Amino acid sequence: MEENLLKTCLHDKHVALGALMSPFGGFDMPIQYTNITDEHNAVRNKSGMFDVSHMGEIFVSGPDAEKFVNHIFSNDITGIPDGKILYGMLLYPNGTVVDDLLVYKEFKPNHYLLVVNASNIAKDYEWICAQKEGYDVVVDNQSDSWGEIALQGPEAEKVAVEVLGFAQAAELQFYTYFETEYEGQRLIMSRTGYTGEDGFEIYTSHELTRKFWDVLLEAGVAPCGLGCRDTLRFEAGLPLYGHELSDEITPVEAGLGMFVKVKDKEEFIGKEAIVAQKEAGITRKIVGIELQDKAIPRAGYPVEVDGVQVGVVTTGYRSISTDRSVCVAMVDKAYTELDTKVEIRIRKKVFPGIVTKKRFYETNYKK
């Protein structure tokens, strides 16, 4: 392991289970324990758990907290109820993405939790703090103090209630959470996820995170690595920062304009650029592509039409759930209509494909 890689509070447990470890977002993380297919199918059919303690938790509080979060966040948190969660982005003034994140409305006035991507914690915290001038807020990066387990799959609710003893889990609506104290430690459980299945994210101390991991493991919940976390989110049409979103891609180009509330909010960072882009019309867009072959399209492969490159693959796999060769790609606007014929260049060969929706798998969220 590279000496400068960070470790989550569950690192030794991954090593003890014989996980294949690899750098991700500055952390030494498990990629797989058995194999990606088995772990993927465990989440689709039963339940699986992920160590997501590498994610960042940044708290914003103070008299101007709502106004400030609305200023830096693309979605609209105005008046949302306690326990509600919204997805959206932090945008640069030019409309490209600092990061995509979840905003949790805490159970006390003027308090919010921002859950950000592991690879962007330091960048996000610095950027958020740089926007504070003129706002009466406190920004507190507590990322090092929290552990987090994602419990995902059709049996996740049953496991949360019967194995972990959280009866409240069954009452949660999609994108809501409850907070409680467990053995004297603060605990947050949300009904969210990144797999296309029903599931929960459990945030608590390092000590309790380790305890819950062992309890879930003993109950037969499959430990899952980042390998299948990627195949699962990809099939469900969910973006990954650095691939479908980045500081060179806007939410409109990514097909996520519904999370940018240009009509509902008077102002937020990046609004003018997004409005201008919508008025002018985008020149490229993220789309799905299905290959008419078993060849596997990978990130970085060119998308071509008649030998001319018109785009690039951002993520691609042989879909485990559908057994189809599919990818998402950023392509020129002229080739974004459904059923448009394109080709993917894989080394020296080109393989025919057609433009499809970005979601390749029917999601099973509990709404």
Side-chain angles (χ1 to χ4, degrees):
M1 188 187 79
E2 296 176 29
E3 286 185 9
N4 59 346
L5 288 178
L6 301 169
K7 299 177 183 179
T8 72
C9 58
L10 294 171
H11 184 273
D12 62 314
K13 297 188 180 292
H14 305 317
V15 173
L17 287 169
L20 172 66
M21 307 295 290
S22 184
F24 180 84
F27 288 79
D28 191 39
M29 296 296 293
I31 302 303
Q32 64 186 52
Y33 298 85
T34 53
N35 63 72
I36 289 174
T37 300
D38 287 351
E39 292 167 24
H40 178 108
N41 287 331
V43 173
R44 286 279 181 253
N45 300 312
K46 294 183 178 180
S47 65
M49 61 178 176
F50 301 83
D51 175 14
V52 283
S53 303
H54 59 319
M55 298 292 282
E57 293 83 17
I58 299 172
F59 291 81
V60 177
S61 61
D64 294 337
E66 180 181 273
K67 186 179 178 184
F68 176 68
V69 174
N70 257 339
H71 173 61
I72 62 172
F73 187 51
S74 66
N75 211 329
D76 186 7
I77 66 161
T78 306
I80 62 171
D82 294 352
K84 178 65 179 170
I85 305 163
L86 291 181
Y87 171 78
M89 301 98 196
L90 306 175
L91 300 179
Y92 290 108
N94 69 356
T96 64
V97 182
V98 181
D99 201 6
D100 62 331
L101 70 157
L102 297 178
V103 171
Y104 286 55
K105 174 62 179 71
E106 293 197 66
F107 290 90
K108 47 189 172 182
N110 302 317
H111 282 71
Y112 298 85
L113 162 60
L114 281 54
V115 179
V116 304
N117 285 302
S119 57
N120 291 335
I121 295 171
K123 178 187 77 172
D124 289 356
Y125 177 61
E126 183 179 341
W127 187 86
I128 291 167
C129 289
Q131 316 308 318
K132 282 196 322 180
E133 188 174 346
Y135 292 90
D136 188 359
V137 292
V138 174
V139 180
D140 184 12
N141 180 10
Q142 295 184 15
S143 302
D144 292 342
S145 304
W146 289 81
E148 184 189 351
I149 293 172
L151 173 63
Q152 299 282 300
E155 295 180 1
E157 181 184 295
K158 182 180 179 183
V159 172
V161 174
E162 296 181 8
V163 176
L164 297 180
F166 292 113
Q168 310 102 300
E171 306 303 318
L172 285 178
Q173 299 297 308
F174 193 46
Y175 267 62
T176 67
Y177 78 99
F178 68 82
E179 182 171 332
T180 188
E181 196 170 272
Y182 188 97
E183 295 183 358
Q185 314 264 11
R186 186 180 180 188
L187 183 143
I188 289 169
M189 179 179 280
S190 60
R191 194 164 211 146
T192 54
Y194 196 49
T195 63
E197 301 296 335
D198 186 27
F200 304 87
E201 312 280 347
I202 307 164
Y203 304 80
T204 190
S205 66
H206 293 174
E207 176 189 357
L208 281 181
T209 300
R210 292 173 60 82
K211 177 176 180 174
F212 291 145
W213 182 270
D214 290 343
V215 169
L216 292 168
L217 196 63
E218 182 69 24
V221 177
C224 299
L226 295 182
C228 82
R229 185 169 162 85
D230 200 49
T231 58
L232 290 159
R233 70 89 192 165
F234 161 74
E235 288 182 348
L238 300 170
L240 175 63
Y241 189 88
H243 292 256
E244 289 75 44
L245 286 170
S246 75
D247 58 6
E248 296 180 347
I249 300 172
T250 74
V252 181
E253 293 170 335
L256 298 169
M258 71 284 286
F259 301 108
V260 186
K261 303 301 185 184
V262 292
K263 292 182 179 178
D264 300 333
K265 293 168 64 174
E266 285 189 13
E267 75 82 33
F268 58 88
I269 296 172
K271 177 179 177 177
E272 291 180 2
I274 296 296
V275 169
Q277 187 176 56
K278 284 189 170 187
E279 288 176 350
I282 54 174
T283 59
R284 57 180 191 163
K285 189 178 180 182
I286 295 278
V287 299
I289 297 173
E290 180 175 353
L291 266 66
Q292 311 302 298
D293 195 280
K294 289 195 173 183
I296 301 175
R298 300 291 190 194
Y301 287 1
V303 180
E304 299 181 355
V305 173
D306 297 329
V308 177
Q309 183 170 348
V310 298
V312 63
V313 174
T314 58
T315 305
Y317 285 103
R318 182 77 185 178
S319 167
I320 295 170
S321 299
T322 67
D323 196 32
R324 293 150 52 199
S325 290
V326 287
C327 65
V328 281
M330 180 69 83
V331 299
D332 294 346
K333 180 71 163 53
Y335 307 98
T336 58
E337 293 296 319
L338 294 180
D339 299 324
T340 299
K341 293 181 179 180
V342 295
E343 295 174 329
I344 307 289
R345 179 170 293 279
I346 301 176
R347 291 174 287 278
K348 293 184 179 180
K349 286 188 174 182
V350 291
F351 296 85
I354 59 167
V355 172
T356 66
K357 293 180 179 179
K358 291 181 298 179
R359 183 179 294 172
F360 305 112
Y361 172 83
E362 196 60 43
T363 54
N364 295 299
Y365 304 123
K366 183 171 179 179
K367 296 291 178 115

